[in-house]
Amino acid sequence: MNDSYGLSLPTHADNLLQGLNQQQREAVCLPDTHALILAGAGSGKTRVLTTRIAWLLSQQRVSPAGILAVTFTNKAAKEILTRLSSMLPLNVRGMWIGTFHGLCNRFLRAHHQVAQLPQAFQILDMQDQLAAIKRLYKQFDIDAVSTPPKQMQHFINSCKEDGLRADDVPANNINSRKNSEIYRLYEAQCQREGVVDFGELMLRSYEVLRDHATIRTHYQQRFRHILIDEFQDTNYMQYRWLKLFVSSDDAIQKNAVFAVGDDDQSIYSFRGARVDNMNDFMLDLKVKHQIKLEKNYRSYSNILDSANALISNNKHRLGKNLSTQAGAGEPVRVFEHISDMEEAFWLVDEVRQLLRDDDIHRRQIAVLYRSNAQSRIIETCLFNAGMPYKVYGGLRFFERAEIKHALAYLRLLDNPRDDTSFARVVNFPRRGIGAGSMETLQDIAKSENCALYDAVEKVDTRAKTNLVSFVEQIRAMRAQAVKLSLPDLVRYTLDASGLLSHYKKDNDGADRVENLEELIHAAENFCSQEGLMPDIAALQEVSWAAEEFDDLAKNNVAGETVETLTPLSLFLSHASLEAGDNQAQAGQDAVQLMTVHASKGLEFKVVFITGLEESLFPHENAMYAQDGLEEERRLLYVAITRARERLYLSYAQSRMLHGQRHYHIRSRFFDELPDRCLKWIRPKQNLYSDDIAQIGDKQTNLDELDTSTEQQSELRCGMQVFHTKFGEGKVLAVEGSGLDAKVQVQFKRHGSKWLVAHIAKLTVIA
DNA sequence: GCTGTAGAACTTTTT
DNA sequence: GTTCTACAGC
């Protein structure tokens, strides 16, 4: 029997619940009320969220159009869509599943008139935004030394995140008045150019919903079920945005918010994430259902118990303890090294051994570090050893310079008044239009209050010829553009702009030419079924919104010409919202290198966590604040829980940082891990003649066995020394000689201590 | 208008 | 130690 959504029931619902544990099942089958699901690492979070949607649909509790599911990353949104379509033979088209920004984009295109935006508005990524601010600085002669553009960018973004417009920013001193004035100018510039930044996508949608009861009520009634992934990562604005979808009106049927998150994995407070949203959510919406998913299906208990013990040191938690039935597994291996160099050598060696002895592939091995700078030395060693590796992070496809150039031309075809794009490519490839000409042009644009593109004809200096021929070129390309399909248009643009031939002439341009050709593929892909699906849905929404809110629109923006969304503008917003893969050397089986942040949500058979030293992990900038330290702890918690079978923790006594050798003691987090789960090992090294020593008790035995063969006899008063446990210190006194020699050392952080010279492992720093 | 060099910065990052 | 930015010089 078929129901209205094309699903056969109820057998399907039973199938969905197969293989779920008690808590998961409970979460999936919750009634239509608000709920908070505390989902620990590896507890099947995405599965629960996806199954919940499938179950709701199969139970006919909601139609696809009544689903709103929000994620942070495109990857997560895609994952949900893929899993969902494998669970249900359904049409995902009516659902709103996407990232916060992707959904805001869709929303604003649909309600562009109310939002006072051109329908084909373009989206500035961080790079574009910074460029726009710099352009503003030039135009208004703003002092970039006292207020650096980067700082301004941060200021603007955090204002928007807090829901503040330029008028709302408190301006009670010269500095804040200046800031809000620049913010105001920036807002005006964006509005004039028809561009929005990421923060604006959120804020503008929020304001539209807040100020237009008709629209708000419509969506409140439409979205019966609102589901949020990674709720601990939401910022203030996102939470407020979300709340606007929740009806407070008793007259209409209540909708239900299903928030999934893990406060222990909140590692993004530096970019505005508010864990407190979880508590606020419970209180604001009077949430009665809280379900903890604590069964872990990923790791053995030595790994899990380490993670649990560590995180229990945090004071502010909602409280959760992961457990597994997988058994203890191998102990967590802990290694100490003399230097970052030794650590990297050891790592390569260990990886080699893993590949040789065990049934492990390179791609199942992850090397994690706290900061990007640490990857260099590891990369060097892996490279020299001929070991394939992949580094995550760095420039993504759509962020590469040549791609940004090509996109700038495409944007100009879509909207010639996009000054950011104009400025980017007006002299690339070179057309003899330098800073001087641009300054003239910008002055005119400013005094005429028009776009750079329109200001060209008013130039009357020598610079005019080149500028006019550029504008002519764009005009000619625009004329061609309407005749071509998107992939052909991209191909044509690369040619006609001269970009392709420019890079072909360049001896080192082969990679860039390849990337540009890849851009054509990206366009083709985008047009093929799969790529376009969500955006076709967006187009349908737009036509629906035009009908639904026609009156509203007329009242707000009178006489605006009706524009249409071209495949080009859809492709351009896709390019801004999804910057593409950020891993280099895709494809082959390679060891995975990434920061701990980047590893969130992933899992590996073997995980190495490197650089576990005080002031690196926990990082020095976070060490002295309670909140900072707790977040560092969560960060390590995330790192540990990435491992399925085998976990290595390593630290080095010394490390090159900012061109200087630094000496650090091992991370304080080691003291928070349970001894019974750890195995302290000293690696076999050329420096040492003895074999690998296995040490049971890290506190005492390590020192005894650490009678390194290094020369340490010539300790003298006044020397700066380094001790693995106590850190840096100064030698105050030396007594005796040979094996009986004792030294008194004044440590910076641990006071003065008497040590037996040949037992205590002291490294002379200076 | 372009190129080279001195100076500063430098934790984590998605959209 | 490296990498980006800004300004000076050709």
Side-chain angles (χ1 to χ4, degrees):
Chain A
M1 250 224 307
N2 269 352
D3 62 77
S4 52
Y5 312 131
L7 307 164
S8 45
L9 297 161
T11 26
H12 211 109
D14 292 339
N15 289 340
L16 288 173
L17 302 178
Q18 288 270 310
L20 294 183
N21 68 35
Q22 180 57 37
Q23 289 75 31
Q24 290 175 328
R25 199 175 287 228
E26 200 185 324
V28 166
C29 304
L30 276 169
D32 298 358
T33 54
H34 305 314
L36 179 66
I37 313 301
L38 282 175
S43 66
K45 166 180 70 90
T46 314
R47 184 172 179 199
V48 166
L49 189 124
T50 318
T51 315
R52 168 76 173 170
I53 298 175
W55 184 81
L56 287 168
L57 292 168
S58 72
Q59 291 284 300
Q60 296 186 57
R61 282 169 178 263
V62 66
S63 76
I67 297 279
L68 172 66
V70 202
T71 64
F72 275 87
T73 61
N74 291 295
K75 204 174 144 203
K78 258 186 226 150
E79 167 100 10
I80 292 176
L81 272 170
T82 318
R83 286 206 199 187
L84 207 52
S85 46
S86 75
M87 284 181 184
L88 290 174
L90 96 145
N91 181 358
V92 291
R93 209 165 269 187
M95 290 187 245
W96 275 36
I97 297 182
T99 63
F100 277 101
H101 298 268
L103 296 175
C104 285
N105 176 42
R106 189 188 285 196
F107 178 86
L108 289 176
R109 304 265 179 215
H111 303 288
H112 69 280
Q113 285 160 310
V114 180
Q116 309 203 10
L117 287 170
Q119 185 170 29
F121 65 81
Q122 274 161 16
I123 300 165
L124 303 182
D125 65 15
M126 298 265 276
Q127 272 182 52
D128 301 330
Q129 188 190 29
L130 189 62
I133 292 171
K134 283 183 180 167
R135 208 153 33 75
L136 189 78
Y137 269 50
K138 275 235 171 68
Q139 195 147 102
F140 289 91
D141 263 330
I142 298 163
D143 173 27
V145 180
S146 63
T147 321
K150 276 228 178 76
Q151 198 180 305
M152 196 61 220
Q153 183 181 26
H154 180 77
F155 172 78
I156 291 172
N157 289 339
S158 34
C159 283
K160 291 191 177 184
E161 212 159 83
D162 290 338
L164 301 176
R165 288 296 180 189
D167 288 338
D168 309 323
V169 179
N172 33 33
N173 58 51
I174 296 176
N175 213 27
S176 60
R177 212 167 304 142
K178 188 183 163 196
N179 281 351
S180 67
E181 191 46 42
I182 302 175
Y183 179 19
R184 195 189 320 279
L185 292 170
Y186 170 78
E187 277 187 327
Q189 177 179 286
C190 289
Q191 191 62 34
R192 190 179 61 243
E193 295 174 16
V195 298
V196 300
D197 56 49
F198 288 132
E200 188 71 31
L201 281 172
M202 287 303 312
L203 180 53
R204 192 74 70 105
S205 322
Y206 168 77
E207 288 170 343
V208 169
L209 281 168
R210 184 195 58 192
D211 301 337
H212 297 273
T214 339
I215 297 179
R216 188 173 62 244
T217 313
H218 169 84
Y219 284 103
Q220 286 179 352
Q221 284 178 317
R222 174 180 166 174
F223 295 127
R224 286 269 101 90
H225 286 273
I226 300 164
L227 303 96
I228 316 129
D229 192 22
E230 306 278 15
F231 191 61
Q232 78 283 350
D233 288 338
T234 49
N235 65 34
Y236 184 63
M237 182 46 47
Q238 286 158 340
Y239 178 54
R240 299 226 305 190
W241 179 89
L242 217 49
K243 277 211 297 186
L244 285 179
F245 285 96
V246 181
S247 58
S248 49
D249 187 351
D250 285 329
I252 61 175
Q253 198 195 320
K254 286 279 193 318
N255 42 19
V257 179
F258 188 85
V260 182
D262 181 0
D263 55 324
D264 291 334
Q265 291 189 73
S266 161
I267 55 174
Y268 285 113
S269 73
F270 70 91
R271 67 175 194 216
R274 258 181 107 248
V275 211
D276 291 344
N277 283 347
M278 296 182 96
N279 267 319
D280 291 356
F281 170 63
M282 297 288 290
L283 297 172
D284 292 350
L285 301 188
K286 304 183 181 65
V287 176
K288 296 197 183 64
H289 298 273
Q290 194 198 77
I291 294 176
K292 293 180 185 175
L293 305 180
E294 299 177 291
K295 292 232 165 66
N296 176 290
Y297 297 96
R298 182 182 293 155
S299 320
Y300 288 105
S301 70
N302 276 335
I303 295 171
L304 234 40
D305 291 350
S306 301
N308 281 330
L310 175 80
I311 202 68
S312 70
N313 288 282
N314 272 2
K315 300 276 177 294
H316 305 290
R317 296 180 67 212
L318 296 172
K320 218 170 2 63
N321 211 44
L322 292 173
S323 68
T324 178
Q325 293 177 336
E330 302 173 19
V332 174
R333 294 163 165 82
V334 183
F335 284 82
E336 178 193 273
H337 306 278
I338 299 291
S339 66
D340 47 352
M341 190 61 105
E342 294 282 335
E343 183 185 47
F345 275 126
W346 158 80
L347 184 91
V348 173
D349 218 52
E350 199 70 38
V351 169
R352 274 216 194 101
Q353 229 162 80
L354 283 169
L355 295 175
R356 196 168 47 230
D357 300 345
D358 305 87
D359 182 28
I360 289 171
H361 294 280
R362 284 189 287 267
R363 79 184 89 89
Q364 297 169 316
I365 302 174
V367 180
L368 309 184
Y369 35 80
R370 171 69 242 262
S371 65
N372 283 306
Q374 290 166 250
S375 80
R376 169 160 259 104
I377 189 156
I378 297 169
E379 282 189 68
T380 312
C381 282
L382 286 166
F383 183 83
N384 289 339
M387 175 79 66
Y389 65 91
K390 224 186 268 186
V391 188
Y392 287 71
L395 274 194
R396 335 266 281 299
F397 180 72
F398 285 112
E399 288 168 353
R400 291 161 196 271
E402 64 275 18
I403 299 298
K404 294 287 281 184
H405 282 132
L407 291 174
Y409 276 104
L410 290 168
R411 283 179 168 202
L412 283 179
L413 302 187
D414 206 38
N415 167 21
R417 285 189 205 129
D418 182 343
D419 285 356
T420 304
S421 300
F422 187 99
R424 183 173 189 108
V425 292
V426 67
N427 198 33
F428 195 95
R430 295 219 172 102
R431 297 185 178 87
I433 302 168
S437 313
M438 277 308 282
E439 205 161 309
T440 323
L441 188 64
Q442 274 183 331
D443 286 344
I444 293 172
K446 183 188 171 190
S447 61
E448 300 279 327
N449 195 28
C450 67
L452 294 173
Y453 186 84
D454 298 319
V456 167
E457 56 187 61
K458 301 194 177 77
V459 177
D460 53 7
T461 58
R462 218 166 355 125
K464 181 160 187 174
T465 343
N466 288 339
L467 280 167
V468 166
S469 68
F470 174 69
V471 166
E472 282 307 323
Q473 190 183 351
I474 296 296
R475 194 164 294 154
M477 287 167 71
R478 295 192 80 202
Q480 287 295 312
V482 291
K483 302 180 204 156
L484 299 169
S485 73
L486 179 59
D488 285 339
L489 175 57
V490 174
R491 207 170 285 134
Y492 167 76
T493 303
L494 295 182
D495 248 353
S497 64
L499 277 179
L500 209 52
S501 57
H502 172 266
Y503 285 119
K504 276 183 177 159
K505 264 184 259 161
D506 188 346
N507 285 332
D508 314 317
D511 281 351
R512 296 184 188 272
V513 171
E514 206 173 296
N515 285 330
L516 287 175
E517 276 156 7
E518 190 53 42
L519 185 65
I520 303 172
H521 287 151
E524 281 165 354
N525 251 344
F526 183 74
C527 288
S528 76
Q529 278 298 8
E530 207 184 8
L532 203 56
M533 223 165 51
D535 293 283
I536 286 177
L539 272 177
Q540 288 175 339
E541 288 296 338
V542 169
S543 57
W544 157 80
E547 282 168 36
E548 191 99 352
F549 297 108
D550 210 21
D551 293 344
L552 209 65
K554 274 189 205 127
N555 290 340
N556 277 283
V557 187
E560 193 181 317
T561 48
V562 178
E563 293 153 285
T564 41
L565 282 179
T566 59
L568 175 60
S569 36
L570 290 176
F571 180 63
L572 289 173
S573 61
H574 165 81
S576 312
L577 287 172
E578 182 165 12
D581 247 341
N582 67 354
Q583 51 172 290
Q585 315 100 328
Q588 63 169 332
D589 183 28
V591 178
Q592 317 274 306
L593 269 63
M594 66 192 84
T595 62
V596 178
H597 281 93
S599 76
K600 192 173 156 214
L602 305 175
E603 60 172 56
F604 305 91
K605 211 168 186 175
V606 182
V607 169
F608 290 86
I609 307 174
T610 64
L612 280 162
E613 296 132 38
E614 283 290 293
S615 83
L616 233 156
F617 203 166
H619 196 276
E620 54 185 341
N621 297 356
M623 251 180 350
Y624 301 107
Q626 170 81 11
D627 296 351
L629 193 61
E630 295 214 347
E631 181 144 322
E632 295 292 304
R633 197 174 277 117
R634 291 194 291 267
L635 206 46
L636 183 56
Y637 175 80
V638 167
I640 290 174
T641 51
R642 298 309 97 198
R644 276 210 301 269
E645 293 180 8
R646 190 184 275 218
L647 175 65
Y648 292 92
L649 307 177
S650 83
Y651 60 98
Q653 292 173 17
S654 82
R655 185 176 293 277
M656 288 299 284
L657 282 172
H658 315 315
Q660 278 191 312
R661 187 152 291 281
H662 286 246
Y663 295 84
H664 295 135
I665 51 174
R666 69 171 182 235
S667 173
R668 68 187 72 188
F669 294 141
F670 279 112
D671 301 332
E672 301 175 6
L673 300 175
D675 269 346
R676 64 188 161 79
C677 300
L678 307 184
K679 185 170 168 185
W680 290 70
I681 309 171
R682 216 146 45 78
K684 191 188 265 182
Q685 281 161 169
N686 297 336
L687 275 171
Y688 299 102
S689 52
D690 45 353
D691 279 340
I692 293 175
Q694 297 186 0
I695 300 151
D697 183 340
K698 63 182 176 188
Q699 299 300 339
T700 53
N701 295 0
L702 187 64
D703 281 358
E704 284 167 24
L705 281 157
D706 268 348
T707 47
S708 92
T709 54
E710 274 184 307
Q711 72 299 346
Q712 54 188 180
S713 48
E714 66 279 7
L715 284 171
R716 259 174 239 123
C717 291
M719 278 179 163
Q720 294 290 328
V721 292
F722 172 78
H723 185 272
T724 328
K725 203 153 75 188
F726 303 129
E728 283 179 50
K730 189 177 173 184
V731 177
L732 294 182
V734 184
E735 263 185 18
S737 60
L739 291 179
D740 291 330
K742 288 183 188 146
V743 284
Q744 188 188 21
V745 184
Q746 174 70 45
F747 290 103
K748 281 181 184 169
R749 295 165 55 123
H750 295 264
S752 86
K753 293 195 190 302
W754 278 99
L755 304 163
V756 179
H758 89 274
I759 289 174
K761 190 197 230 173
L762 291 171
T763 314
V764 179
I765 305 173

